[in-house]
Amino acid sequence: MSQALDENKIGGLGVSRKRVEDNRFIRGRGNYTDDIVLPGMLHMEILRSPLAHARIKSIDTSRAWEIPGVRLVLTGEMAATRNLAWMPTLSYDTQAVLATDKVRFQGQEVACVVADDPYIAKDACEAIDVEYEPLPVIVNPEQAVAEGAPLIRDDKAGQADNVVYRWEVGDQAGTDAAFEHAAVVSKLRLHYPRSHPSPIECCGSVADFDRATGKLTVYMTTQAPHIIRAAVAMVAELPEHLIRIISPDIGGGFGNKVPVYPGYVCSILCSILLERPVKWIEDKTGNLISTGFARDMYLDGELALRADGKILGVRMHAEADHGAFFADAQPSKFKIGLLHSTFACYNVPAAHLTARGTYTNKAPGGVAYRCSFRVTEAMFFQERMVHQAAKDLGLDPAEFRRRNFVRADAFPYRTPFGFLVDSGQPEACLDVGLKAVGYEDFLRQKEEARRRGRRLGIGISTMTEPLGAGNSREYDILGIKMFDSAELRVHMTGKALLRVGAKSQGQGHETTWAQIVSHELGIPADDVTVEEGDTDTAPFGMGTYASRSTPVAGAAISMVSRKIRAKARKLAAHLLEVSEEDLEWELGRFSVRGVPEHGVTIQECAMAAYGNMPDGMEPGLENHAYYDPPNLTWPFAVYIVTVEVDPETGVWDVLNTVAVDDCGVRINPMIVEGQIMGGLTEAYAMANMQFITFDAEGNCVGSNYMDYLLPTAWETPGFELHSEVVTPSPHHPIGAKGVGECAAVGGPAAFVNAVMDALDDTGVRNIDMPLLPDRVWEALTQHHDVSGAPPVRTDD
Amino acid sequence: MTTVHEIHEEATGDVPIRRITITVNGERRVVECEPRLLLAHLLRQGLRLTGTHLGCDTTNCGACTVLVDGRAVKSCTMLAVQADGHEVTTVEGLATASELHPLQEGYREEHGLQCGFCTPGMMLSAKALLDENPDPSEEDVRWALSGNLCRCTGYQNIVKSVLWAAAKLRSE
Ligand code: FES
Ligand code: FES
C-alpha cells in the first residue's frame, strides 16, 4: 500500500501556500536597509545639482565643515584621489560618482556629507556653496543629434557626438521586398514616455569597513548582490571574500535597484575613509530624479500587410533617450535590450529593426522597469501596431490577431530576429479572454451606446515575453555570464536549508522556493528555510530582475533537489538492502519495487547520510547546482480592457479588465495572481497617469509623489484573472515560465487600444501615453493625433 | 505600564532640546529631542520601532501612518513635540503577545502584501477606518486607503484583506 504524500499537505507544487515572509512583515519586524543600526554608525547625505547642464566653477565646503557633528565633506576632487570620481556602469559606460568637471543632469551627485545624525548632514549639505556656469540643455534625442548640439560627454575620449550606439538587426533586403508586395502599409509613430519604477522604499546602503580585518560589509537595497560585489571588487581591487554584500528585506525593486548608484559608492568610500559604518538613505526626491528611469523611447513602425490581413513584414526604428550616462543593466550584446523580441508570437516572415541611443541632460535611464530589458517597449509597439493594422484593414482586431498568430503546433518557433519561442497556445488564450469579456456582446453594446452619444471601447493585447535571462552563450552583465544557483543542505532530521543566488524584493521567494524542494523531495515546505541576499552565504547568482527567478533560480533549485534525491536513493538502497534499480520513488519516500509497504522516507535517508551510510560513501546530504538555461522561457498572455470615454472631459473609466496568463506551471497560484494584479496596476498607471517629463531647462517634472502620479486604491480598477491555459515550458525542469512582469509589459497596450477603439470613428490614430484627460479631449475635439512627449504641466 | 526611556538626540549649535512624554503602544515614554525632529524619526530611530516605514517624506505615500489618539496620521508630517501628551499606536502595537490583530491575519490570508513596505501604514489606515465603520463597503475601504500607496499588490487583495478583517471583527 502506498504511503505517498499529498503535495497539498506538504505545500508542494500548485499549492497556494500562505507566505512565510508575511509573519515578520505584518508585525513590523521586517529588516529593511534603513532599519539597520551598527555601533558607531554615521549618516550620509548627498548634495545634488539643481541644474541639468552646467560647468562647476567652484565648490566651497568650508561652511559645512564648521557645523558641529560633521565628520566628512566629500567632493569629486577628493574622491579622485582615491580613483573614485568615476565608476563603470553595468553597460560599460563610465558615470561620475561625484561630478568634478560638469553636471550633466538635474539631481546629479555633486558632494556628500557624513555627520552624526541625518539632520546635521542635511544642514551641512545646504551649507556647501557650489558655483555653476549654466550650459545649453538637451532634453530629447532630436536635440541631441541636431547640428551643433553641445557635446554632453566630453569626458569620453573619442566621443564626438551625443550618440551612445547605433544598432541594427534583422533582414533589411527581405523586409524591403515584403513591403514592395504589400497591399496596405500601416504606420504609427509612438512615444513610450519616461517613467520611474518607484518602489516605495528608496535606495540606501550601510557600509562598514573594518580596518582590522580589511573586510568591507555593505547592507544595501540591491536586486543583484553578487553582481554588486563583483563590481566593487573590480573597482576597489579587493578580493571578493573581503567584500560582503547583504541585501536584507527590500521594499520593492522593479528594476530600479539593479544599477550601481553613486550613493552606494560614496557610502563605501566614506566608511573606508572614516573607518566607521556609514548609512545613506536616499530621500524620495533624490530617488525620483536620479535613479534608474525606464522607457523614454520614440518608436517608428510600419507593417506590410496583405489585403486578407496577413502580416508580411515589420519595419521599426527606435530612438532611445538614455540620459547622461548609459547605465542600465542589460545583456551586453543587445544594445537595446530585447526590443527585437517584438512580434515573437506572430508569424512574421521578415523584420528589420534599427535603433539609436542618445545622451541627453537627463538622469541615466533605460533600466528594465518590471520587464526583461526593453521588452515593454517591444510589446507596446507590437500591440499598438497590430491594433492599428486591423483598423486600417477594416478587420476585427481579435480576428486579425488570430490570422497571424504562430499556431500552437508550430512551436518551437524561430522569429525573424532569431529567437526560438519555446511553446505557447495563443489562440486558446485569446478564446478564453474573449469569452470572459463577452466580446461579441460588448461590440453590440458599443454600437448601441454610440447611437446614444456614449463612447465605449475595447482593447486587446496579446503578447509574449522572453523571460529567464540566461543561457551563457548569449547573455552576460559586465562579462559575467547569466545563470543562477542554489545550494541545499538537508540536515539529519530532514529539515533543510536552501540558499539561492536570486534575491526577493517582495516576490515571495521564501515561500515559493521551499515549495519546489517540497515537490522534488517530499520534505514539507515548512521544514525548508530559505536564505538569499548575503554574498558570504548564498551561492553566486545573478539576482532578481527580468522575471528570471523562477525560470533560472527556480530551475537550479529543482536541479539541486534532484541531486539530493539521487544520493538519497543510494542511501535508501543501503537501508532497504536492495539495489538502486529496485527502488521506486514516490513523493517523500523510496520503496521496493512491487513491495510498496517496504520503504524508507526521505527523512530516514537524511538520518542515514549522517549515521548509517554505506561504506565508502561521503557523509552528509548537501549539494549545489548552477543552472544555465538552454533557452529563454516564453509565457504568453492576453489582456482585454473595456473603457468608457467621457467626450465632455476626455476622462476614461475602466469598465472591465480580463487577464489570461499562460505562464506554464504555477508553483504558488496565489503568489502568481498577486504578481499579475501588481503588474496590471503598473500597466494602468503607465497608460493613465504615470510619466516623468522635463522642461526645456532640464528640470524634472515629477520629483515627488505630488507631481509623479501613481494610482491609489481609489482609482485602480479591479481585475479578473484566468489561468485555464497552461503550456509548460518544455525545457524548464518543472515547466514554469516566470510571470511577474507580463502584465506590466503587455497591459499598457490593452488600455491604450481600448481608448483608441472608443475613438475609432474620429480619424484619430494615436494618442501617446499617458492618456491624460486633456490629451484625449484634444484628440476628440480637434480630431488629430496627440503624439510625442507629454506636455510639461504648468500649474500656475 | 510606566516604563521610562530616555533618548538624547545630539543637538546642533543652539537648537533647544525639549522633553516630551508620549504613550506608544500603551507604554509611557519620556523623551528628549530637538523640536524639529519628526515623529516618524522619533519612533524609528529614537524608540527603535522600525515597523513604521518612510517612503516619501512628503506626506504622499502613507507608509509612515500611525495612529495618534486613534486617528490615522502620517508620522513624517508631524513633529515629535506635537505628540507630547498623546497616545501613539504603531504596527508593533497591533498584535498582542499571543494573538495577531484581525487586520494582520486578513493581510496574510488574502495575500494583501508583497514586499511589505507599505503594509504597516496600510494596516493602520485600515484600523482607523474599521474603528469608525465596522462594516465598510469595498468603496469605503478604497477611499480610506487612498492616502497609502502600494507599488506591488495592485490593491485588490489589500481591499479583500481589510474586508476579511472587518468580517472577523464583527463576528468576534
Ligand atoms: S513617508 Fe510619510 S507619507 Fe510617505
Ligand atoms: S507591498 Fe510593496 S509597496 Fe505595498
Side-chain angles (χ1 to χ4, degrees), chain A residues 19 26 32 34-35 119 123 197-198 284 369 674 681-682 690 711 713 716 719, chain B residues 10 12 36 38 41 44 48 55 104 108 114-116 123 142 151-152 154-156:
Chain A
R19 299 201 331 162
I26 54 179
Y32 302 88
D34 193 24
D35 299 343
Y119 285 63
D123 286 344
S198 194
K284 187 55 79 185
Y369 164 19
T681 305
E682 305 243 359
Q690 182 184 299
T716 304
F719 310 116
Chain B
E10 211 167 312
T12 68
R36 65 174 177 171
L38 295 174
H41 291 147
R44 285 183 51 78
R48 298 296 302 133
Q104 292 170 308
R108 190 182 58 195
Q114 290 183 16
C115 78
M123 290 193 298
R142 286 187 179 267
R151 291 293 278 168
C152 304
Y155 302 110
Q156 198 154 322

mmCIF file of all heavy atoms in Angstrom, chain A residues 19 26 32 34-35 119 123 197-198 284 369 674 681-682 690 711 713 716 719, chain B residues 10 12 36 38 41 44 48 55 104 108 114-116 123 142 151-152 154-156:
data_model
loop_
_atom_site.group_PDB
_atom_site.id
_atom_site.type_symbol
_atom_site.label_atom_id
_atom_site.label_comp_id
_atom_site.label_asym_id
_atom_site.label_seq_id
_atom_site.Cartn_x
_atom_site.Cartn_y
_atom_site.Cartn_z
ATOM 1 N N ARG A 19 2.195 32.942 2.664
ATOM 2 C CA ARG A 19 3.603 33.339 2.608
ATOM 3 C C ARG A 19 4.272 33.339 3.986
ATOM 4 O O ARG A 19 3.743 33.913 4.940
ATOM 5 C CB ARG A 19 3.723 34.727 1.995
ATOM 6 C CG ARG A 19 3.204 34.802 0.575
ATOM 7 C CD ARG A 19 3.743 35.968 -0.184
ATOM 8 N NE ARG A 19 4.070 37.111 0.670
ATOM 9 C CZ ARG A 19 4.861 38.098 0.275
ATOM 10 N NH1 ARG A 19 5.391 38.086 -0.930
ATOM 11 N NH2 ARG A 19 5.109 39.109 1.078
ATOM 12 N N ILE A 26 3.946 41.645 8.645
ATOM 13 C CA ILE A 26 2.705 42.174 9.241
ATOM 14 C C ILE A 26 2.905 42.600 10.691
ATOM 15 O O ILE A 26 2.089 43.326 11.253
ATOM 16 C CB ILE A 26 1.528 41.163 9.163
ATOM 17 C CG1 ILE A 26 1.922 39.843 9.782
ATOM 18 C CG2 ILE A 26 1.030 41.005 7.734
ATOM 19 C CD1 ILE A 26 0.810 38.806 9.774
ATOM 20 N N TYR A 32 14.602 46.051 6.817
ATOM 21 C CA TYR A 32 14.984 46.770 5.589
ATOM 22 C C TYR A 32 16.278 47.545 5.857
ATOM 23 O O TYR A 32 16.667 47.719 7.022
ATOM 24 C CB TYR A 32 13.856 47.719 5.170
ATOM 25 C CG TYR A 32 12.535 47.012 4.928
ATOM 26 C CD1 TYR A 32 11.631 46.804 5.964
ATOM 27 C CD2 TYR A 32 12.213 46.507 3.667
ATOM 28 C CE1 TYR A 32 10.431 46.128 5.751
ATOM 29 C CE2 TYR A 32 11.013 45.841 3.445
ATOM 30 C CZ TYR A 32 10.121 45.657 4.497
ATOM 31 O OH TYR A 32 8.949 44.987 4.283
ATOM 32 N N ASP A 34 17.123 50.590 5.925
ATOM 33 C CA ASP A 34 17.068 51.720 6.861
ATOM 34 C C ASP A 34 16.843 51.274 8.302
ATOM 35 O O ASP A 34 16.950 52.077 9.226
ATOM 36 C CB ASP A 34 15.967 52.710 6.420
ATOM 37 C CG ASP A 34 16.073 54.039 7.166
ATOM 38 O OD1 ASP A 34 17.179 54.367 7.639
ATOM 39 O OD2 ASP A 34 15.054 54.748 7.276
ATOM 40 N N ASP A 35 16.520 50.013 8.500
ATOM 41 C CA ASP A 35 16.322 49.527 9.876
ATOM 42 C C ASP A 35 17.650 49.111 10.519
ATOM 43 O O ASP A 35 17.695 48.828 11.714
ATOM 44 C CB ASP A 35 15.371 48.320 9.894
ATOM 45 C CG ASP A 35 13.994 48.661 9.344
ATOM 46 O OD1 ASP A 35 13.676 49.861 9.262
ATOM 47 O OD2 ASP A 35 13.247 47.738 8.974
ATOM 48 N N TYR A 119 19.979 64.773 10.278
ATOM 49 C CA TYR A 119 19.548 66.178 10.239
ATOM 50 C C TYR A 119 20.772 67.085 10.067
ATOM 51 O O TYR A 119 20.747 68.046 9.297
ATOM 52 C CB TYR A 119 18.801 66.540 11.529
ATOM 53 C CG TYR A 119 17.389 65.995 11.611
ATOM 54 C CD1 TYR A 119 17.147 64.628 11.628
ATOM 55 C CD2 TYR A 119 16.297 66.852 11.694
ATOM 56 C CE1 TYR A 119 15.855 64.127 11.715
ATOM 57 C CE2 TYR A 119 14.996 66.361 11.778
ATOM 58 C CZ TYR A 119 14.782 65.000 11.796
ATOM 59 O OH TYR A 119 13.507 64.515 11.882
ATOM 60 N N ASP A 123 21.703 69.651 7.015
ATOM 61 C CA ASP A 123 22.083 71.056 7.257
ATOM 62 C C ASP A 123 23.389 71.366 6.546
ATOM 63 O O ASP A 123 23.530 72.404 5.895
ATOM 64 C CB ASP A 123 22.317 71.309 8.764
ATOM 65 C CG ASP A 123 21.024 71.363 9.555
ATOM 66 O OD1 ASP A 123 19.958 71.507 8.935
ATOM 67 O OD2 ASP A 123 21.098 71.248 10.794
ATOM 68 N N PRO A 197 10.380 53.462 -11.969
ATOM 69 C CA PRO A 197 9.773 52.276 -11.331
ATOM 70 C C PRO A 197 9.236 52.573 -9.938
ATOM 71 O O PRO A 197 8.242 51.994 -9.525
ATOM 72 C CB PRO A 197 10.940 51.288 -11.260
ATOM 73 C CG PRO A 197 11.908 51.734 -12.308
ATOM 74 C CD PRO A 197 11.769 53.235 -12.388
ATOM 75 N N SER A 198 9.914 53.466 -9.241
ATOM 76 C CA SER A 198 9.455 53.974 -7.967
ATOM 77 C C SER A 198 8.922 52.951 -6.969
ATOM 78 O O SER A 198 7.753 52.982 -6.572
ATOM 79 C CB SER A 198 8.372 55.035 -8.201
ATOM 80 O OG SER A 198 8.171 55.742 -7.015
ATOM 81 N N LYS A 284 12.958 60.711 -1.211
ATOM 82 C CA LYS A 284 12.155 60.361 -2.394
ATOM 83 C C LYS A 284 12.493 61.247 -3.586
ATOM 84 O O LYS A 284 12.536 60.786 -4.728
ATOM 85 C CB LYS A 284 10.661 60.459 -2.067
ATOM 86 C CG LYS A 284 9.738 59.969 -3.167
ATOM 87 C CD LYS A 284 10.026 58.516 -3.620
ATOM 88 C CE LYS A 284 9.473 57.483 -2.700
ATOM 89 N NZ LYS A 284 9.845 56.096 -3.078
ATOM 90 N N TYR A 369 12.353 48.257 -16.214
ATOM 91 C CA TYR A 369 11.329 48.517 -15.208
ATOM 92 C C TYR A 369 10.257 47.443 -15.360
ATOM 93 O O TYR A 369 9.487 47.452 -16.289
ATOM 94 C CB TYR A 369 10.790 49.926 -15.439
ATOM 95 C CG TYR A 369 9.483 50.291 -14.772
ATOM 96 C CD1 TYR A 369 8.958 49.577 -13.694
ATOM 97 C CD2 TYR A 369 8.778 51.399 -15.210
ATOM 98 C CE1 TYR A 369 7.769 49.949 -13.107
ATOM 99 C CE2 TYR A 369 7.583 51.776 -14.634
ATOM 100 C CZ TYR A 369 7.075 51.042 -13.586
ATOM 101 O OH TYR A 369 5.895 51.418 -13.021
ATOM 102 N N GLY A 674 -1.094 37.417 -7.410
ATOM 103 C CA GLY A 674 -0.682 38.690 -6.817
ATOM 104 C C GLY A 674 0.252 39.447 -7.741
ATOM 105 O O GLY A 674 0.156 40.667 -7.904
ATOM 106 N N THR A 681 -1.706 46.825 -12.446
ATOM 107 C CA THR A 681 -1.798 48.169 -11.882
ATOM 108 C C THR A 681 -0.732 49.081 -12.482
ATOM 109 O O THR A 681 -0.983 50.246 -12.794
ATOM 110 C CB THR A 681 -1.643 48.111 -10.350
ATOM 111 O OG1 THR A 681 -2.621 47.203 -9.866
ATOM 112 C CG2 THR A 681 -1.859 49.465 -9.716
ATOM 113 N N GLU A 682 0.461 48.531 -12.651
ATOM 114 C CA GLU A 682 1.526 49.340 -13.270
ATOM 115 C C GLU A 682 1.164 49.657 -14.721
ATOM 116 O O GLU A 682 1.454 50.741 -15.228
ATOM 117 C CB GLU A 682 2.859 48.588 -13.214
ATOM 118 C CG GLU A 682 3.208 48.170 -11.803
ATOM 119 C CD GLU A 682 4.468 48.810 -11.266
ATOM 120 O OE1 GLU A 682 5.114 49.572 -11.987
ATOM 121 O OE2 GLU A 682 4.801 48.514 -10.099
ATOM 122 N N GLN A 690 1.141 57.871 -15.246
ATOM 123 C CA GLN A 690 2.475 57.839 -14.672
ATOM 124 C C GLN A 690 3.542 58.191 -15.699
ATOM 125 O O GLN A 690 3.814 57.419 -16.599
ATOM 126 C CB GLN A 690 2.701 56.430 -14.129
ATOM 127 C CG GLN A 690 4.012 56.208 -13.453
ATOM 128 C CD GLN A 690 4.169 54.760 -13.032
ATOM 129 O OE1 GLN A 690 3.405 54.245 -12.242
ATOM 130 N NE2 GLN A 690 5.151 54.085 -13.588
ATOM 131 N N PRO A 711 -1.150 55.457 -9.153
ATOM 132 C CA PRO A 711 -2.543 55.156 -8.800
ATOM 133 C C PRO A 711 -2.671 54.667 -7.358
ATOM 134 O O PRO A 711 -1.777 54.024 -6.831
ATOM 135 C CB PRO A 711 -2.920 54.042 -9.785
ATOM 136 C CG PRO A 711 -1.635 53.443 -10.229
ATOM 137 C CD PRO A 711 -0.577 54.506 -10.111
ATOM 138 N N ALA A 713 -5.584 53.005 -4.306
ATOM 139 C CA ALA A 713 -6.679 52.031 -4.255
ATOM 140 C C ALA A 713 -7.961 52.620 -4.830
ATOM 141 O O ALA A 713 -8.827 51.905 -5.328
ATOM 142 C CB ALA A 713 -6.908 51.582 -2.817
ATOM 143 N N THR A 716 -7.637 52.624 -8.946
ATOM 144 C CA THR A 716 -7.218 51.384 -9.605
ATOM 145 C C THR A 716 -8.414 50.451 -9.796
ATOM 146 O O THR A 716 -9.120 50.150 -8.834
ATOM 147 C CB THR A 716 -6.137 50.673 -8.765
ATOM 148 O OG1 THR A 716 -5.071 51.589 -8.562
ATOM 149 C CG2 THR A 716 -5.619 49.442 -9.484
ATOM 150 N N PHE A 719 -9.557 43.544 -11.315
ATOM 151 C CA PHE A 719 -9.083 42.713 -12.416
ATOM 152 C C PHE A 719 -9.668 41.312 -12.307
ATOM 153 O O PHE A 719 -9.794 40.765 -11.221
ATOM 154 C CB PHE A 719 -7.549 42.603 -12.372
ATOM 155 C CG PHE A 719 -6.855 43.925 -12.255
ATOM 156 C CD1 PHE A 719 -6.094 44.234 -11.127
ATOM 157 C CD2 PHE A 719 -6.967 44.886 -13.243
ATOM 158 C CE1 PHE A 719 -5.447 45.454 -11.001
ATOM 159 C CE2 PHE A 719 -6.326 46.116 -13.137
ATOM 160 C CZ PHE A 719 -5.567 46.404 -12.010
ATOM 161 N N GLU B 10 21.489 64.293 19.619
ATOM 162 C CA GLU B 10 22.508 65.324 19.675
ATOM 163 C C GLU B 10 21.992 66.612 19.029
ATOM 164 O O GLU B 10 21.392 66.578 17.970
ATOM 165 C CB GLU B 10 23.751 64.846 18.942
ATOM 166 C CG GLU B 10 25.008 65.419 19.543
ATOM 167 C CD GLU B 10 26.228 64.691 19.017
ATOM 168 O OE1 GLU B 10 26.232 63.440 19.021
ATOM 169 O OE2 GLU B 10 27.150 65.387 18.582
ATOM 170 N N THR B 12 22.399 70.522 17.417
ATOM 171 C CA THR B 12 23.373 71.335 16.696
ATOM 172 C C THR B 12 23.297 72.747 17.252
ATOM 173 O O THR B 12 22.215 73.296 17.448
ATOM 174 C CB THR B 12 23.058 71.391 15.197
ATOM 175 O OG1 THR B 12 21.869 72.123 15.019
ATOM 176 C CG2 THR B 12 22.909 70.020 14.597
ATOM 177 N N ARG B 36 12.574 70.063 16.004
ATOM 178 C CA ARG B 36 12.318 69.792 14.586
ATOM 179 C C ARG B 36 12.262 68.296 14.271
ATOM 180 O O ARG B 36 12.018 67.913 13.132
ATOM 181 C CB ARG B 36 13.396 70.439 13.730
ATOM 182 C CG ARG B 36 14.786 69.856 13.940
ATOM 183 C CD ARG B 36 15.748 70.471 12.944
ATOM 184 N NE ARG B 36 17.106 70.000 13.135
ATOM 185 C CZ ARG B 36 18.082 70.255 12.274
ATOM 186 N NH1 ARG B 36 17.847 70.957 11.194
ATOM 187 N NH2 ARG B 36 19.301 69.810 12.517
ATOM 188 N N LEU B 38 11.042 64.812 13.484
ATOM 189 C CA LEU B 38 9.750 64.295 13.036
ATOM 190 C C LEU B 38 9.328 63.110 13.904
ATOM 191 O O LEU B 38 10.176 62.327 14.353
ATOM 192 C CB LEU B 38 9.835 63.846 11.573
ATOM 193 C CG LEU B 38 10.110 64.956 10.548
ATOM 194 C CD1 LEU B 38 10.310 64.359 9.159
ATOM 195 C CD2 LEU B 38 8.971 65.969 10.539
ATOM 196 N N HIS B 41 10.749 59.849 12.755
ATOM 197 C CA HIS B 41 12.147 59.585 13.139
ATOM 198 C C HIS B 41 12.265 59.262 14.622
ATOM 199 O O HIS B 41 13.081 58.436 15.014
ATOM 200 C CB HIS B 41 13.017 60.782 12.773
ATOM 201 C CG HIS B 41 13.182 60.955 11.288
ATOM 202 N ND1 HIS B 41 13.302 62.175 10.675
ATOM 203 C CD2 HIS B 41 13.221 60.041 10.289
ATOM 204 C CE1 HIS B 41 13.419 62.012 9.370
ATOM 205 N NE2 HIS B 41 13.361 60.722 9.102
ATOM 206 N N ARG B 44 11.225 55.624 14.817
ATOM 207 C CA ARG B 44 12.148 54.679 14.174
ATOM 208 C C ARG B 44 13.533 54.680 14.810
ATOM 209 O O ARG B 44 14.055 53.633 15.181
ATOM 210 C CB ARG B 44 12.292 55.013 12.688
ATOM 211 C CG ARG B 44 11.089 54.622 11.840
ATOM 212 C CD ARG B 44 11.372 54.922 10.375
ATOM 213 N NE ARG B 44 12.641 54.354 9.954
ATOM 214 C CZ ARG B 44 12.835 53.084 9.672
ATOM 215 N NH1 ARG B 44 11.831 52.234 9.730
ATOM 216 N NH2 ARG B 44 14.025 52.641 9.326
ATOM 217 N N ARG B 48 13.380 52.909 18.289
ATOM 218 C CA ARG B 48 13.706 51.657 17.592
ATOM 219 C C ARG B 48 12.448 50.866 17.208
ATOM 220 O O ARG B 48 12.459 49.639 17.173
ATOM 221 C CB ARG B 48 14.652 50.765 18.422
ATOM 222 C CG ARG B 48 15.995 51.367 18.709
ATOM 223 C CD ARG B 48 16.848 51.612 17.465
ATOM 224 N NE ARG B 48 17.100 50.407 16.690
ATOM 225 C CZ ARG B 48 16.961 50.339 15.355
ATOM 226 N NH1 ARG B 48 16.565 51.391 14.667
ATOM 227 N NH2 ARG B 48 17.233 49.231 14.726
ATOM 228 N N GLY B 55 8.505 56.248 3.197
ATOM 229 C CA GLY B 55 8.575 56.008 1.761
ATOM 230 C C GLY B 55 8.725 57.278 0.951
ATOM 231 O O GLY B 55 9.084 57.230 -0.212
ATOM 232 N N GLN B 104 -4.016 41.976 10.651
ATOM 233 C CA GLN B 104 -2.779 41.272 10.298
ATOM 234 C C GLN B 104 -3.096 39.898 9.714
ATOM 235 O O GLN B 104 -2.516 39.482 8.715
ATOM 236 C CB GLN B 104 -1.883 41.150 11.537
ATOM 237 C CG GLN B 104 -1.358 42.497 11.997
ATOM 238 C CD GLN B 104 -0.677 42.436 13.342
ATOM 239 O OE1 GLN B 104 -1.242 41.932 14.316
ATOM 240 N NE2 GLN B 104 0.542 42.955 13.419
ATOM 241 N N ARG B 108 -2.502 38.516 5.730
ATOM 242 C CA ARG B 108 -1.824 37.252 5.434
ATOM 243 C C ARG B 108 -2.751 36.309 4.671
ATOM 244 O O ARG B 108 -2.363 35.707 3.687
ATOM 245 C CB ARG B 108 -1.341 36.595 6.728
ATOM 246 C CG ARG B 108 -0.422 35.411 6.473
ATOM 247 C CD ARG B 108 -0.007 34.746 7.763
ATOM 248 N NE ARG B 108 -1.185 34.291 8.514
ATOM 249 C CZ ARG B 108 -1.159 33.944 9.788
ATOM 250 N NH1 ARG B 108 -0.037 34.017 10.470
ATOM 251 N NH2 ARG B 108 -2.262 33.535 10.397
ATOM 252 N N GLN B 114 3.142 42.193 -0.554
ATOM 253 C CA GLN B 114 4.236 41.526 -1.265
ATOM 254 C C GLN B 114 5.562 41.910 -0.602
ATOM 255 O O GLN B 114 6.073 41.177 0.220
ATOM 256 C CB GLN B 114 4.170 41.842 -2.759
ATOM 257 C CG GLN B 114 2.950 41.133 -3.387
ATOM 258 C CD GLN B 114 2.825 41.315 -4.887
ATOM 259 O OE1 GLN B 114 3.739 41.717 -5.576
ATOM 260 N NE2 GLN B 114 1.654 40.995 -5.432
ATOM 261 N N CYS B 115 6.087 43.111 -0.916
ATOM 262 C CA CYS B 115 7.352 43.479 -0.263
ATOM 263 C C CYS B 115 7.142 43.862 1.195
ATOM 264 O O CYS B 115 8.086 43.869 1.972
ATOM 265 C CB CYS B 115 8.051 44.607 -1.011
ATOM 266 S SG CYS B 115 7.345 46.247 -0.712
ATOM 267 N N GLY B 116 5.912 44.207 1.555
ATOM 268 C CA GLY B 116 5.615 44.501 2.953
ATOM 269 C C GLY B 116 5.985 45.902 3.404
ATOM 270 O O GLY B 116 5.784 46.249 4.562
ATOM 271 N N MET B 123 -2.145 49.009 7.186
ATOM 272 C CA MET B 123 -2.951 48.366 8.236
ATOM 273 C C MET B 123 -3.455 49.395 9.239
ATOM 274 O O MET B 123 -4.572 49.278 9.744
ATOM 275 C CB MET B 123 -2.137 47.278 8.938
ATOM 276 C CG MET B 123 -1.889 46.068 8.039
ATOM 277 S SD MET B 123 -1.270 44.607 8.913
ATOM 278 C CE MET B 123 0.259 45.222 9.554
ATOM 279 N N ARG B 142 -11.595 51.396 -0.245
ATOM 280 C CA ARG B 142 -10.717 52.016 -1.246
ATOM 281 C C ARG B 142 -10.492 53.494 -0.922
ATOM 282 O O ARG B 142 -9.391 54.007 -1.059
ATOM 283 C CB ARG B 142 -11.287 51.825 -2.661
ATOM 284 C CG ARG B 142 -11.118 50.396 -3.175
ATOM 285 C CD ARG B 142 -11.535 50.259 -4.635
ATOM 286 N NE ARG B 142 -11.354 48.898 -5.101
ATOM 287 C CZ ARG B 142 -10.239 48.448 -5.714
ATOM 288 N NH1 ARG B 142 -9.237 49.255 -5.948
ATOM 289 N NH2 ARG B 142 -10.153 47.185 -6.092
ATOM 290 N N ARG B 151 3.094 49.717 -4.436
ATOM 291 C CA ARG B 151 3.579 49.509 -5.792
ATOM 292 C C ARG B 151 3.575 48.037 -6.185
ATOM 293 O O ARG B 151 3.875 47.713 -7.322
ATOM 294 C CB ARG B 151 5.005 50.061 -5.920
ATOM 295 C CG ARG B 151 5.069 51.560 -5.851
ATOM 296 C CD ARG B 151 4.417 52.213 -7.051
ATOM 297 N NE ARG B 151 5.301 52.251 -8.196
ATOM 298 C CZ ARG B 151 4.904 52.549 -9.424
ATOM 299 N NH1 ARG B 151 3.640 52.799 -9.661
ATOM 300 N NH2 ARG B 151 5.758 52.579 -10.412
ATOM 301 N N CYS B 152 3.290 47.166 -5.234
ATOM 302 C CA CYS B 152 3.437 45.740 -5.536
ATOM 303 C C CYS B 152 2.114 45.040 -5.819
ATOM 304 O O CYS B 152 2.033 44.208 -6.714
ATOM 305 C CB CYS B 152 4.095 45.014 -4.378
ATOM 306 S SG CYS B 152 5.679 45.648 -3.861
ATOM 307 N N GLY B 154 -1.332 45.867 -6.382
ATOM 308 C CA GLY B 154 -2.497 46.137 -7.216
ATOM 309 C C GLY B 154 -3.762 46.394 -6.410
ATOM 310 O O GLY B 154 -4.843 46.466 -6.982
ATOM 311 N N TYR B 155 -3.622 46.493 -5.094
ATOM 312 C CA TYR B 155 -4.705 46.904 -4.164
ATOM 313 C C TYR B 155 -5.847 45.913 -4.002
ATOM 314 O O TYR B 155 -6.463 45.852 -2.936
ATOM 315 C CB TYR B 155 -5.287 48.272 -4.553
ATOM 316 C CG TYR B 155 -4.257 49.390 -4.589
ATOM 317 C CD1 TYR B 155 -3.854 49.966 -5.779
ATOM 318 C CD2 TYR B 155 -3.675 49.848 -3.405
ATOM 319 C CE1 TYR B 155 -2.906 50.986 -5.807
ATOM 320 C CE2 TYR B 155 -2.731 50.869 -3.429
ATOM 321 C CZ TYR B 155 -2.356 51.433 -4.639
ATOM 322 O OH TYR B 155 -1.423 52.432 -4.671
ATOM 323 N N GLN B 156 -6.167 45.158 -5.050
ATOM 324 C CA GLN B 156 -7.341 44.285 -4.970
ATOM 325 C C GLN B 156 -7.295 43.407 -3.714
ATOM 326 O O GLN B 156 -8.280 43.293 -2.985
ATOM 327 C CB GLN B 156 -7.370 43.399 -6.228
ATOM 328 C CG GLN B 156 -8.698 42.758 -6.502
ATOM 329 C CD GLN B 156 -8.840 42.459 -8.001
ATOM 330 O OE1 GLN B 156 -8.405 43.244 -8.849
ATOM 331 N NE2 GLN B 156 -9.427 41.330 -8.336
#
